[in-house]
Amino acid sequence: MQIFKVQDFDLKGKVKSCLVITDYGKESFEFNRDGLLVKTVTQYNDTDQDITYYKYSNNELLEKRMESYKNNILDATTSMANFYSVDSLPQKKVLEKIISYDKEFLEQQEYVYDAKGRLVKITTSNEDGVDETTVEYTPYKNELTKSFFINSVLEKSIRTSERKGKAGVQKIVLTKEYIDGEPNTAVEEIFDVNEKLISKEFFRYSTTEKKFVQEKKLLYTYDKDGMLDKVTSKTATSQSVKEYIFQFDSNKEKNWIKQIITPDNTYTTRRITYFPVDEKEG
């Protein structure tokens, strides 16, 4: 389970809502005063849209409802509700039930956490049967590998490590994906001391060479204010550069309200509203 907050959408401050407009559609996000996401709307055209509502109690997710509208009519077969209940003793367990709007039971998931609050098991039940996902944590020196097994077959591993560079400590996250326990793809991400992504490398597994082979590498650079400046894409045979231009609002913490990517000249516009500042907050 993931609870989304204002920061997850590259937003700062007491944001109440954000409408994102691109050349291919609109999407809006609404937040409560605690910065938690409470509603999203994805507008495909004048008559088709998806709306998701999030309900909380003490900052714990209790309910998520996803409503799909076609020709301005609610589609009960594709709309669904997720209900969550938490049991903290003797170890934390979260039960998720998924039911369609036409009252059909779709799925149940039970999440089990260890004493450190780490997810260790997911049991999924639906009409196809029961599947069990286990999560193993393996520390080694300055590394931690998190491995996901579905019915004892390795599906994914995430290795997080650190290394010292000239500009400080970098975090390296290597994610490997498997099919039927066999390696398939991998992605390595490197973050700088400010947690900004500075490189992303894509690999595929070569069955002939018996190893992961690089397909593409992305390099990210930022301006003096920490905003994305350009992304350089490199493959074995080509190289291209995309540059990013931002315009900002007058908010104290400054959020961008327009992003232009060249040379494609694609754009994204954001209309942001804020909660009123309390007098005691200044």
Side-chain angles (χ1 to χ4, degrees), residues 246-264:
F246 295 93
Q247 295 176 4
F248 298 88
D249 64 10
S250 58
N251 183 54
K252 181 179 178 182
E253 299 185 66
K254 288 194 179 299
N255 284 301
W256 65 265
I257 53 176
K258 190 165 188 177
Q259 176 196 76
I260 302 171
I261 304 175
T262 62
D264 301 340

Side-chain angles (χ1 to χ4, degrees), residues 185-240:
T185 61
V187 177
E188 183 182 74
E189 298 170 295
I190 300 178
F191 299 84
D192 66 12
V193 67
N194 297 313
E195 291 287 323
K196 288 191 174 296
L197 179 65
I198 56 175
S199 77
K200 190 171 186 177
E201 209 164 347
F202 300 84
F203 302 85
R204 61 171 177 82
Y205 189 78
S206 171
T207 55
T208 55
E209 299 182 50
K210 303 295 183 183
K211 65 178 183 179
F212 283 100
V213 179
Q214 185 195 79
E215 289 190 314
K216 182 172 66 173
K217 186 172 185 177
L218 302 177
L219 299 173
Y220 300 79
T221 58
Y222 302 84
D223 64 18
K224 60 182 178 62
D225 296 317
M227 295 300 299
L228 184 62
D229 184 42
K230 65 180 180 179
V231 178
T232 303
S233 176
K234 295 181 178 181
T235 68
T237 58
S238 67
Q239 177 172 319
S240 62

Side-chain angles (χ1 to χ4, degrees), residues 76 83 236 281:
F83 300 98
E281 294 179 358

